[in-house]
Amino acid sequence: MAVTVKTFTSVSEAAGALSSDRTARYLGGGTLVMRALNEGDVSISTVVRAQDQALTRFDASGPRITLGAGVTFARVLAERDLGFLHAPARSIGGPAVRNMGTVGGNLFAPNPYGDFTVALLALDATVAVQGGFGSRDVGIEEFLQARDRQSGTLVLSISCTRPASTGAFRYRKIARIKPKGGSVITLAAHLPISGGRIAGARIALGSMAPTQIRARAAERALEGQPLDAAAIAAAASAATEGTSPSDNALGSAWYRREIVGVHLRRLLSGQE
Amino acid sequence: MSKIPLQFRHNGRDVAIFVDGGTNLLVALRELIGDMTPKFGCGQGGCGTCSVLIDGELHLSCLTLAESVAGRSIETLDGMKLGPNLHPLQRAFADNFAAQCGYCTPGMLMAAKALLDRNPSPSRDEVIEAISGNICRCTGYEPIINAILAAAGGRVSA
Ligand SMILES: Cc1cc2nc3c(=O)[nH]c(=O)nc-3n(C[C@H](O)[C@H](O)[C@H](O)COP(=O)(O)OP(=O)(O)OC[C@H]3O[C@@H](n4cnc5c(N)ncnc54)[C@H](O)[C@@H]3O)c2cc1C
Ligand code: FES
Ligand code: FES
């Protein structure tokens, strides 16, 4: 079925069009929206596009980085200053999907997708959104919790603080099909160390709940501790707390609960 | 619903067509331009047989909104031959028995071209990575990987 495509040159016009039409869907890289159209999803009758360069801009030079929502994974991978985000970007799809898929679209990708968002959640990212009435910043956790109600909102950019050292940020995606494939589970950890102890631990999980979630019990087990065997064991055994995985073709909920602690232990102890 | 005018470059030639809103590039290429080399496999991004190059970058034409290529340059397998000669990659696919039913071949060749244009001497792992979005149900991949490595090694002349 034909849809109406509305293309705007500015983000504010696109945001206006999006917020005033319930059937409108924003088109990022299109890897999920076009798939829905090809499958005959009749809930989409208008597609909104914005050709504003602000959406593909990024600033990776300072301690706080900002990625326009339209930045692709291939673009992230081409940027040396974004090295800490290369593992999550590389874990997505095949080369064509990485050339097309965007960071903004990933915030809305349902299971078994949304891997990049797991990394951004562990990095406590901030999402800049624009509704019909101007723009505002939302914490990524709050954003994800209200994700289903975000249909009229345009994501402008995502920003986060660069991890202090390479070891402070870790990412691991468990997939059955390599080098590409949907996530069985995805894990990311940000572990800032101050005076030999973890201060501000963040652990994020993908495919362990309807949206990406923080593993708060595991974070608590690490907080204020040195990253030693005892703290890692405590975090691993708390990994399933608060999770609600589901069954899909890639793995059962039972299996996901069984393996999440094992992979968290490996991630935290730096094992391959 | 009114038709939307669309112009872009197709294998080095300017084309002008009218599309329906929401039409994907694969449909536009096959049904409106008559270029049957990009194949329809899944329409979901999963098989890669519809792969084309957009401004030199590998994209899935089934997931590309046709309107989004206005003014851009599209390359498909149809434009790969060099005059009367096969492209070195095509030659290498033939010489290395890299096609059986051939359904995946157009996408494989485009993925391989995207790789070699950027990296003329890839490692085996880089070749595997480059075709990781393309599914082949017949060859078991080894002949395809070997063909791409052979073309890269310059062992096949145009
Ligand atoms: C073969 C294949 C393999 C894949 N593999 C992976 C994988 O391994 N890991 C993974 O995480 N994902 C994967 N994906 C899913 C997808 O490609 C990515 O999640 C990608 O990041 C989605 O971004 P997009 O720009 O293409 O989204 P689109 O399809 O353009 O949009 C997706 C949703 O996000 C909304 N949206 C997009 N941008 C904005 C914005 N700026 N503001 C508001 N709403 C917006 C759209 O309206 C839509 O609802 C795969 C997809 C395919 C087809
Ligand atoms: S038809 Fe486009 S990826 Fe399968
Ligand atoms: S040769 Fe048949 S699908 Fe690849």
Side-chain angles (χ1 to χ4, degrees):
Chain A
M1 194 196 68
V3 298
T4 305
V5 180
K6 294 182 177 168
T7 305
F8 299 97
T9 45
S10 80
V11 285
S12 51
E13 287 170 303
L18 212 55
S19 62
S20 60
D21 179 356
R22 289 185 140 273
T23 69
R25 190 80 69 87
Y26 184 76
L27 182 79
T31 56
L32 296 170
V33 172
M34 289 303 291
R35 182 152 89 174
L37 288 180
N38 291 348
E39 284 169 354
D41 182 340
V42 290
S43 70
I44 310 172
S45 59
T46 306
V47 166
V48 171
R49 299 166 66 217
Q51 288 177 321
D52 197 324
Q53 294 200 337
L55 289 171
T56 48
R57 214 173 284 147
F58 63 89
D59 177 7
S61 53
R64 192 160 180 89
I65 63 126
T66 301
L67 303 175
V71 170
T72 62
F73 303 114
R75 195 70 200 83
V76 170
L77 285 167
E79 196 56 43
R80 268 181 57 189
D81 284 341
L82 292 173
F84 66 103
L85 291 172
H86 285 186
R90 203 178 301 113
S91 78
I92 292 173
V97 170
R98 292 195 291 273
N99 285 337
M100 300 172 72
T102 66
V103 194
N106 202 257
L107 291 172
F108 296 89
N111 288 335
Y113 297 144
D115 297 314
F116 200 78
T117 305
V118 177
L120 293 171
L121 179 58
L123 289 164
D124 254 341
T126 302
V127 183
V129 297
Q130 176 142 6
F133 307 99
S135 61
R136 65 190 179 98
D137 288 344
V138 196
I140 187 166
E141 204 178 2
E142 187 192 331
F143 177 91
L144 290 170
Q145 278 158 7
R147 180 165 76 176
D148 294 345
R149 284 170 272 129
Q150 302 280 1
S151 59
T153 323
L154 183 66
V155 173
L156 304 176
S157 65
I158 300 132
S159 53
C160 69
T161 307
R162 181 188 298 282
S165 67
T166 19
F169 179 69
R170 297 150 190 228
Y171 173 86
R172 191 181 190 99
K173 171 174 167 179
I174 313 306
R176 289 183 186 274
I177 308 161
K178 289 181 178 169
K180 62 150 195 170
S183 145
V184 177
I185 55 169
T186 305
L187 309 95
H190 185 210
L191 307 166
I193 306 269
S194 166
R197 290 173 187 276
I198 300 164
R202 289 286 180 274
I203 296 178
L205 303 173
S207 296
M208 287 301 291
T211 65
Q212 299 81 350
I213 51 164
R214 293 250 306 269
R216 288 188 188 274
E219 290 175 357
R220 276 196 302 275
L222 294 171
E223 195 60 31
Q225 306 294 320
L227 190 59
D228 59 13
I232 291 173
S237 64
T240 51
E241 220 176 291
T243 63
S244 53
S246 49
D247 299 324
N248 65 16
L250 299 165
S252 64
W254 171 84
Y255 179 68
R256 291 188 158 93
R257 276 194 210 95
E258 288 294 309
I259 65 168
V260 68
V262 175
H263 287 293
L264 182 59
R265 181 161 42 72
R266 291 185 188 163
L267 183 78
L268 297 175
S269 49
Q271 279 172 28
E272 267 312 302
Chain B
M1 196 165 293
S2 59
K3 299 268 186 187
I4 302 134
L6 174 65
Q7 295 186 28
F8 58 92
R9 273 183 95 70
H10 171 248
N11 295 326
R13 277 177 312 156
D14 289 324
V15 292
I17 52 174
F18 286 95
V19 295
D20 288 322
T23 302
N24 66 51
L25 180 62
L26 178 61
V27 167
L29 289 170
R30 290 178 62 88
E31 294 178 14
L32 302 173
I33 294 181
D35 177 353
M36 295 303 194
T37 57
K39 302 288 179 223
F40 177 88
C42 63
Q44 298 188 357
C47 73
T49 196
C50 67
S51 300
V52 300
L53 305 190
I54 302 181
D55 292 337
E57 225 183 38
L58 191 71
H59 283 239
L60 298 165
S61 62
C62 74
L63 298 184
T64 302
L65 180 72
E67 283 175 63
S68 71
V69 305
R72 302 179 76 183
S73 174
I74 313 297
E75 280 174 74
T76 70
L77 179 61
D78 200 33
M80 204 175 192
K81 287 204 312 291
L82 306 166
N85 300 319
L86 292 180
H87 184 281
L89 271 166
Q90 292 175 299
R91 188 74 264 151
F93 267 57
D95 291 348
N96 289 274
F97 304 100
Q100 286 187 30
C101 79
Y103 206 79
C104 68
T105 311
M108 287 288 182
L109 284 166
M110 295 324 285
K113 183 166 192 295
L115 171 69
L116 298 191
D117 286 352
R118 202 180 62 245
N119 176 2
S121 44
S123 67
R124 193 177 173 81
D125 283 349
E126 284 167 334
V127 171
I128 292 171
E129 172 62 40
I131 59 166
S132 64
N134 296 69
I135 288 177
C136 176
R137 288 289 185 216
C138 307
T139 68
Y141 299 100
E142 283 300 308
I144 297 176
I145 296 165
N146 291 338
I148 298 170
L149 285 169
R155 271 167 277 167
V156 195
S157 56

